[in-house]
Amino acid sequence: MVTLHDVARAAGVSISTVSRALSAPDKVAEATRRRVTAVVQELGYTPNRAASLLRSGRTGSVGLVVPDLENPYFASLAKGVQSRAQEAGMSVLIADSDENPRHEPELLSQLVQQTDGVLLAAPRDLAADFGVMDGTPAILINAEHPDLASVSVDYEEAMVRAVAHLRALGHTRIAYVGGPTRSRSDGQRRAGLKLAGDQYDGLEILDLGAFSPKVEGGEAAADLALGSGATATIAYNDLVAVGLLRILARRGVDVPAQMSVMGCDDTLASQLATPALTTMYVDIRGAGEAAVNMFLELSGRTPGKGRVSDLAEHRTLPVQLVVRDSTAAPRRA
Amino acid sequence: MVTLHDVARAAGVSISTVSRALSAPDKVAEATRRRVTAVVQELGYTPNRAASLLRSGRTGSVGLVVPDLENPYFASLAKGVQSRAQEAGMSVLIADSDENPRHEPELLSQLVQQTDGVLLAAPRDLAADFGVMDGTPAILINAEHPDLASVSVDYEEAMVRAVAHLRALGHTRIAYVGGPTRSRSDGQRRAGLKLAGDQYDGLEILDLGAFSPKVEGGEAAADLALGSGATATIAYNDLVAVGLLRILARRGVDVPAQMSVMGCDDTLASQLATPALTTMYVDIRGAGEAAVNMFLELSGRTPGKGRVSDLAEHRTLPVQLVVRDSTAAPRRA
DNA sequence: ATGAAAGCGCTAACAA
DNA sequence: TTGTTAGCGCTTTCAT
């Protein structure tokens, strides 16, 4: 293994000069810097992370806690976190709580000691998690807390736009298949729906109730949607929409001719569904990147590359309509 | 931060005793051990990773290189790797090459210096990757190399079983939508198909050619499948099968009544498709876990928990048939 | 069975 | 601008 010593000797300088040449190039004479970097190249020196971290007290990694890596939503989030962190020279430790909130505190306390900060995606029990964090900076994703920075998707706006799309197609009775009652993001969606409902005359929004945010949830809601007299249904997310599609197909209902269906999140699921789902694109990767950026600032690291700074304590991400094959004008009565 | 020193002082012993009590309990008197562990509990001591790693020369992490974290196949793989590594007290650094083989060597050389070993999932250019690895243990996933240990899915067997399923339903003309020509796993699949074709009398396997292993690939192949006179089509993977379904639906072809379709891998995609895909389950998470186990042994760490040891240089994972809604008996002529 | 002590490779004062 | 030096917290001989 090549160490600072080897480089120093070969370059005829002291180890601190080498160290500086690498981490604070402007504090070293140009000529020296060049000589040092040349030797570094030649010898193939790579800094020993453990040593530098031990000394500096930093770990060079961020932790990311997700409920399930196999869920495309969180896979995308992880991808965003990963790419931004890599750019910033940090690594990402991913902890998968396996949808089990009871694992979270344990996972977290493990992560906390191995990272400079943690990004919490949809933690179930923030209070419990909070205890073990012990001063480590944390960023919440799609959740909020007075003491913590956070990043979230603008689900309210998402629903306003979804309704606008359906309304423009001519729908006047729209059903909503809700997600977990206690979920903050379901609340946001409902707020958006209300806003949209109030905005347009002669538009009715039907609340079908709370369902599991998975394919099963949609399957459970499908017949309710059919019976409601709605000509369009908005689902809590893409998976729920897929569940709707499944049962509707089984009932011989033609989507979109007889019933329009919208998903939310634009995950892979919306592209895989048949028909492909009209959905609201939310920039989940962007959320991951934004979370890393926030962490970087919070911890006083340089955000790099002249990006716009995310100084805000809370950042809301924009959404976008994606029209595919599952929505159309309602059939004339 | 609580250090060994603090514990030592509180327990009235030396730091080396504490260290031993923790890492080699049998080399310490029972009474001492108990006293030490009590103090550890009380003070909430947790070892400083950086320090211990610096001293021992290990990093405590494994690297995982995947082409795309958003692909459900690799998401599952990552999940498997993650969970087993966590169990073994190691962390996972995930590098996403973003489907760009040219990134791989660079990513790899970064990973290599931050980890004790790397797990390579489907590297595109092994030769190039090889150069930068520089003695770091590596495990190949779904690829093989004479000098490297590897884990792969038994795609040959998968195809044999797929054909058996269709044959049992009464199909005699079966089309195959192939994946990338140079892909080793496509070769395996073809070998399996040949085996199955030879095994049964009056069974015809039609090769539709090589396609992109994504939804688009299936879309491209759909009309070929229809024109081939086959009553069933096996796709390279689930995504390709979804592409088939999409076009078949557009052509008004009833799946499975007029055409049976099979996917492969049992990723999320197969459950999301309409109709849900009959597919071959392959234990991708298991592959990830097996890869970690192999690494653990290769590097002389204890595999823990009395698991069956994966001493083999190469491990093949079993597959399983999953019947859903996309296959049925062919319509009587 | 336990303790003393020597570093692992690096960073960050502090001096020069 | 550069060099000297003191550790970071831990593991691991080597004594005792």
Side-chain angles (χ1 to χ4, degrees):
Chain A
M1 170 175 256
V2 188
T3 74
L4 268 192
H5 268 99
D6 304 326
V7 178
R9 197 170 336 120
V13 293
S14 77
I15 61 164
S16 22
T17 302
V18 178
S19 177
R20 273 190 291 254
L22 295 171
S23 52
D26 42 312
K27 299 201 162 198
V28 160
E30 173 61 17
T32 324
R33 218 210 69 237
R34 283 236 298 271
R35 191 148 32 95
V36 168
T37 48
V39 174
V40 163
Q41 281 293 330
E42 192 186 316
L43 267 49
Y45 166 78
T46 63
N48 177 318
R49 238 166 175 226
S52 97
L53 300 181
L54 170 58
R55 187 59 243 247
S56 63
R58 296 198 227 102
T59 67
S61 343
V62 265
L64 170 67
V65 185
V66 293
D68 179 15
L69 253 189
E70 279 174 324
N71 179 326
Y73 188 89
F74 295 107
S76 292
L77 182 72
K79 184 149 179 159
V81 167
Q82 224 277 305
S83 78
R84 179 65 188 114
Q86 199 159 271
E87 237 175 70
M90 305 197 65
S91 19
V92 181
L93 266 72
I94 297 183
D96 186 319
S97 69
D98 229 356
E99 295 281 8
N100 188 340
R102 308 178 71 185
H103 287 166
E104 277 177 19
E106 194 189 339
L107 278 179
L108 249 189
S109 66
Q110 268 194 36
L111 264 196
V112 160
Q113 46 175 293
Q114 291 178 38
T115 57
D116 300 340
V118 274
L119 316 180
L120 266 28
R124 304 306 177 78
D125 185 355
L126 203 47
D129 295 347
F130 222 32
V132 300
M133 285 189 352
D134 177 41
T136 312
I139 313 282
L140 259 30
I141 299 172
N142 279 332
E144 284 177 53
H145 183 99
D147 302 342
L148 261 25
S150 50
V151 172
S152 36
V153 166
D154 193 347
Y155 282 115
E156 186 173 312
E157 176 69 9
M159 288 301 110
V160 170
R161 302 241 200 134
V163 171
H165 166 66
L166 293 172
R167 160 85 190 178
L169 285 172
H171 294 274
T172 53
R173 275 177 81 84
I174 301 175
Y176 172 63
V177 180
T181 321
R182 300 176 41 183
S183 143
R184 196 189 81 96
S185 77
D186 187 60
Q188 276 192 278
R189 287 173 174 84
R190 291 195 134 86
L193 290 168
K194 179 154 175 23
L195 225 65
D198 293 349
Q199 188 175 328
Y200 298 108
D201 264 1
L203 178 64
E204 225 177 331
I205 308 265
L206 278 43
D207 182 351
L208 262 33
F211 294 84
S212 153
K214 308 190 198 163
V215 175
E216 302 85 81
E219 292 178 338
D223 291 319
L224 284 174
L226 277 177
S228 73
T231 55
T233 306
I234 300 178
Y236 175 76
N237 67 19
D238 291 334
L239 291 178
V240 170
V242 167
L244 286 171
L245 290 183
R246 185 114 93 216
I247 300 297
L248 291 177
R250 195 170 298 162
R251 301 278 183 259
V253 176
D254 186 342
V255 173
Q258 294 171 261
M259 172 72 87
S260 287
V261 172
M262 281 193 69
C264 187
D265 292 343
D266 193 26
T267 55
L268 188 67
S270 60
Q271 301 163 51
L272 297 184
T274 312
L277 279 173
T278 293
T279 189
M280 296 306 303
Y281 167 79
V282 306
D283 187 4
I284 316 169
R285 268 157 85 156
E289 290 169 10
V292 175
N293 282 337
M294 275 186 139
F295 162 75
L296 255 24
E297 298 208 358
L298 229 71
S299 58
R301 288 183 176 76
T302 145
K305 290 206 182 173
R307 273 165 182 267
V308 177
S309 132
D310 305 293
L311 268 176
E313 299 281 283
H314 183 271
R315 188 137 137 53
T316 300
L317 288 139
V319 297
Q320 221 169 286
L321 175 68
V322 178
V323 177
R324 296 206 181 86
D325 309 327
S326 67
T327 51
R331 219 167 32 183
R332 301 288 169 141
Chain B
M1 169 175 256
V2 187
T3 75
L4 268 192
H5 267 98
D6 303 327
V7 178
R9 196 166 340 118
V13 294
S14 77
I15 61 163
S16 16
T17 302
V18 177
S19 178
R20 273 189 290 254
L22 266 35
S23 53
D26 42 310
K27 298 202 163 200
V28 160
E30 173 61 16
T32 323
R33 218 210 69 239
R34 283 237 297 272
R35 191 147 33 94
V36 168
T37 47
V39 174
V40 164
Q41 281 294 328
E42 192 186 316
L43 267 48
Y45 166 78
T46 63
N48 178 319
R49 241 172 168 219
S52 89
L53 298 180
L54 170 58
R55 191 55 240 253
S56 61
R58 297 199 228 103
T59 68
S61 346
V62 265
L64 170 66
V65 184
V66 293
D68 179 15
L69 253 190
E70 278 175 323
N71 179 325
Y73 187 88
F74 296 107
S76 291
L77 182 72
K79 185 149 179 160
V81 167
Q82 224 278 304
S83 78
R84 179 65 188 115
Q86 199 158 272
E87 237 175 70
M90 304 197 66
S91 19
V92 181
L93 266 71
I94 297 183
D96 185 320
S97 69
D98 229 356
E99 295 281 8
N100 188 340
R102 308 178 70 186
H103 287 165
E104 276 178 17
E106 194 189 339
L107 279 179
L108 248 189
S109 66
Q110 268 194 37
L111 264 195
V112 159
Q113 47 178 288
Q114 290 178 37
T115 57
D116 299 339
V118 274
L119 315 181
L120 266 27
R124 303 305 177 80
D125 185 356
L126 204 47
D129 294 347
F130 222 32
V132 300
M133 285 189 351
D134 176 42
T136 312
I139 314 282
L140 259 31
I141 299 171
N142 280 332
E144 283 177 52
H145 183 100
D147 302 341
L148 260 26
S150 49
V151 172
S152 37
V153 166
D154 193 348
Y155 282 115
E156 186 174 313
E157 176 69 9
M159 289 301 109
V160 170
R161 301 239 201 135
V163 171
H165 167 65
L166 293 172
R167 160 87 190 177
L169 285 172
H171 295 274
T172 53
R173 275 177 82 81
I174 300 175
Y176 173 64
V177 179
T181 322
R182 299 175 41 181
S183 143
R184 195 189 81 96
S185 78
D186 186 60
Q188 276 192 277
R189 286 174 175 82
R190 291 195 134 85
L193 290 169
K194 180 154 173 24
L195 224 66
D198 293 348
Q199 187 175 327
Y200 299 107
D201 264 359
L203 179 64
E204 225 177 330
I205 308 266
L206 278 42
D207 183 351
L208 262 32
F211 294 83
S212 153
K214 308 189 198 164
V215 175
E216 301 85 79
E219 293 178 337
D223 291 320
L224 284 173
L226 277 177
S228 72
T231 55
T233 306
I234 300 178
Y236 175 76
N237 66 20
D238 292 334
L239 291 178
V240 170
V242 166
L244 287 171
L245 290 183
R246 185 115 92 215
I247 299 297
L248 292 177
R250 195 171 297 163
R251 301 279 183 260
V253 175
D254 185 341
V255 174
Q258 293 172 262
M259 173 73 86
S260 286
V261 172
M262 281 193 70
C264 187
D265 291 344
D266 194 25
T267 55
L268 189 66
S270 60
Q271 300 163 51
L272 297 185
T274 312
L277 279 172
T278 293
T279 189
M280 296 305 303
Y281 167 79
V282 306
D283 188 3
I284 317 168
R285 269 157 84 156
E289 291 170 10
V292 175
N293 282 337
M294 276 186 139
F295 161 74
L296 256 22
E297 297 210 357
L298 228 72
S299 58
R301 287 181 176 75
T302 142
K305 290 206 180 171
R307 275 168 179 265
V308 177
S309 128
D310 305 294
L311 267 176
E313 301 280 282
H314 183 272
R315 188 137 136 53
T316 300
L317 288 139
V319 298
Q320 223 168 286
L321 174 69
V322 178
V323 178
R324 294 207 181 87
D325 310 328
S326 66
T327 51
R331 219 168 30 184
R332 300 289 169 141

